[in-house]
Amino acid sequence: MWDGNLATVIVVTSGKGGVGKTTTSASFATGLAQRGYRTVVIDFDVGLRNLDLIMGCERRVVYDFINIINGEANLNQALIRDKRVENLHVLPASQTRDKEALTKEGVERVLNELRQNFEYIVCDSPAGIERGALMALYFADEALVVTNPEVSSVRDSDRILGILASRSRRAEQGEAPVKEHLVLARYAPERADRGDMLSVEDVLEILGIPLLGVIPESSTVLQSSNAGVPVILEDGSDAGAAYGDLVDRFLGKNLPHRFITTQKKGFLKRLFGGG
Amino acid sequence: MLLRSPRFAAEPAPPFELKGSLFTLTVLHLFQLDRVAIERHLAWKVKQAPSFFNNTPVVIDLEDLAEPPHKPDEMDFNGLYELLRGHGMAPVGVRNGSPELQAVARQAGLPLLPDNRSTGATRKPERSELAPIRSRIVNHPVRSGQQVYAPDGDLIVLGTVSAGAEVIADGNIHIYGALRGRALAGVKGDVETRIFCQSLEAELISIAGRYRISEQINLDPAERGKAMQVHLVDDRLVIDHLAR
Ligand SMILES: Nc1ncnc2c1ncn2[C@@H]1O[C@H](COP(=O)(O)OP(=O)(O)O)[C@@H](O)[C@H]1O
Ligand SMILES: [Mg+2]
């Protein structure tokens, strides 16, 4: 029998806004569930509420995360079961309530209850380093740090990595550190080659954490979010395929990185192992 | 009743609060009062590092003034103030000098700042021979927004110091990774301390209060990724390759 204590809490975070956290949370959680894992994805962006739109379940929201924390509803009432993918649930954020409602005790209580029923708990963090973002990462076991190939985004991710290493529960309790994964989103190889953007190599050199996936800049992302479909479910989408690879890699498969064509010598070898 | 009156009940938060804080300030050690010489040297300094002289607060130190004016009120602090302002410096006060000179400075709006001897750079701090020197070892990279301080000893970082991060030690600083942020060694004034790193891409390096900002470091890009050390030679910061 599966032991609830083995549930893994994964925060999707970045520091900066608009880099692709919610897009990544939706596809990552969907991919885990597609592969048979009981997965819940929680929207920590109190006041904005984006995740349910991208997951296409906004019309089915009755209760939200804050209702649960305040004891105004129970989890079964608030969890939304995905209609397309088995094993997948969404816990939406409140659009109206203020962020102060996200207390450490409240979040911990909800996560502990979710641990009894789910194997993966994915936390979609808001931007910034305020309460919502700190609460989303506090209980994390692993972190997907989403970065765009530009200096300010990389700097903010660096800052978030510092916070993960010093202010997460694991850091405070002196446990093994939060496992860090880099997700380089909105990558356009041509622009990196032209020097308009940082290259994969540049970002890896600055952040120095393992690369979990490179998601190409793709018009299919906006189309699918408008349609309320996580892009990983979109056949023929390059970004969707990249998210598929990312999930497989997260689960331990050794796959080469696609969508990063670059001419630099020695670089591919470094990236694909062997060094 | 007084407290119940609406005026008091609705009293807004106070408009300000006073708090002590420590700053690292640039000190201008004045050797002579020759206006032309000062101006010429200032112009040269500004040319060396234009961005440094961008409203940079400075303290005027009067201790090494070779020939202080016979009558203190002959000292033209207003003129000096204007001269410095005109070159992108913002004088905030004076240090040392005779009490008479200090009084004239005060009249010109330049308060006296305490002479904090413990940060005097040329003096070597005494260290009890028996007291062990403690090192602080940091097992992870120091990220943007983080600050690490090793009081009383060396700081050893097993990783990169990111842009926007700051590492500080009373002793030496050893970085087994790239230095992209700020590193300040010997902050209590030990001029013998050094900074070691695997690649020097720093925003600021400082030893015993002598410092350089990134554009004054000016390393050839080809030097990136090479192990370097920073130390003081005759009171000047020197950057060297680490001999293999
Ligand atoms: N790989 C991508 N290609 C193109 N657009 C993207 C990609 N990832 C995200 N976007 C777009 O960027 C915007 C912000 O994405 P979102 O996931 O909401 O970011 P965050 O949650 O970090 O604020 C959205 O309009 C989204 O469609
Ligand atoms: Mg979002």
Side-chain angles (χ1 to χ4, degrees), chain A residues 254-265:
Chain A
N254 196 353
L255 296 175
H257 289 278
R258 298 193 263 170
F259 318 110
I260 53 167
T261 42
T262 171
Q263 269 69 56
K264 276 181 196 157
K265 260 199 203 141

Side-chain angles (χ1 to χ4, degrees), chain A:
Chain A
M1 231 209 91
W2 171 67
D3 176 357
N5 289 329
L6 291 179
T8 305
V9 178
I10 303 145
V11 63
V12 180
T13 183
S14 72
K16 202 169 157 69
V19 296
K21 289 181 294 295
T22 301
T23 304
T24 299
S25 299
S27 280
F28 181 61
T30 303
L32 290 170
Q34 272 183 316
R35 286 155 182 76
Y37 296 94
R38 296 186 55 77
T39 305
V40 59
V41 54
I42 309 176
D43 191 349
F44 273 78
D45 207 343
V46 174
L48 279 178
R49 218 184 101 183
N50 250 312
L51 182 68
D52 50 325
L53 284 170
I54 294 188
M55 298 292 294
C57 63
E58 76 279 7
R59 304 230 187 118
R60 296 161 61 208
V61 174
V62 182
Y63 295 108
D64 58 54
F65 192 19
I66 303 291
N67 289 135
I68 311 293
I69 289 178
N70 291 343
E72 294 153 0
N74 64 42
L75 260 179
N76 286 334
Q77 292 173 295
L79 283 176
I80 303 175
R81 174 194 285 270
D82 192 88
K83 284 192 169 156
R84 295 160 297 221
V85 181
E86 225 187 310
N87 298 316
L88 181 59
H89 286 77
V90 180
L91 184 52
S94 157
Q95 203 154 23
T96 48
R97 306 177 189 238
D98 78 306
K99 301 174 171 56
E100 301 304 307
L102 278 182
T103 62
K104 204 178 265 183
E105 297 69 32
V107 172
E108 183 168 32
R109 208 165 8 86
V110 176
L111 288 180
N112 283 343
E113 206 178 330
L114 289 169
R115 279 173 200 274
Q116 304 307 312
N117 294 302
F118 292 96
E119 291 162 284
Y120 288 111
I121 302 170
V122 178
C123 304
D124 179 21
S125 173
I129 49 174
E130 310 296 323
R131 177 189 286 268
L134 294 180
M135 282 303 113
L137 69 76
Y138 187 75
F139 295 98
D141 301 305
E142 307 200 23
L144 304 195
V145 177
V146 183
T147 300
N148 291 163
E150 44 167 291
V151 173
S152 66
S153 170
V154 173
R155 176 73 73 96
D156 285 358
S157 293
D158 193 62
R159 188 170 275 249
I160 278 290
L161 284 164
I163 292 172
L164 280 166
S166 59
R167 292 169 69 185
S168 61
R169 190 190 57 89
R170 282 176 169 270
E172 282 182 7
Q173 318 247 306
E175 291 175 15
V178 177
K179 193 169 175 198
E180 303 154 339
H181 308 271
L182 180 63
V183 178
L184 185 54
R186 311 200 66 162
Y187 193 66
E190 328 76 63
R191 297 190 56 196
D193 280 353
R194 261 188 274 133
D196 296 349
M197 275 184 175
L198 298 177
S199 66
V200 180
E201 191 185 34
D202 294 335
V203 177
L204 283 176
E205 190 183 319
I206 297 171
L207 294 179
I209 63 170
L211 181 64
L212 184 64
V214 179
I215 313 301
E217 171 78 26
S218 167
S219 56
T220 59
V221 171
L222 191 58
Q223 288 160 14
S224 68
S225 357
N226 285 340
V229 180
V231 71
I232 195 172
L233 294 177
E234 219 57 88
D235 283 336
S237 157
D238 48 355
Y243 276 120
D245 286 1
L246 178 151
V247 174
D248 284 333
R249 252 180 242 119
F250 181 85
L251 294 171
K253 268 199 193 159
N254 196 353
L255 296 175
H257 289 278
R258 298 193 263 170
F259 318 110
I260 53 167
T261 42
T262 171
Q263 269 69 56
K264 276 181 196 157
K265 260 199 203 141
F267 160 48
L268 296 175
K269 203 173 143 217
R270 219 169 97 188
L271 203 67
F272 299 154

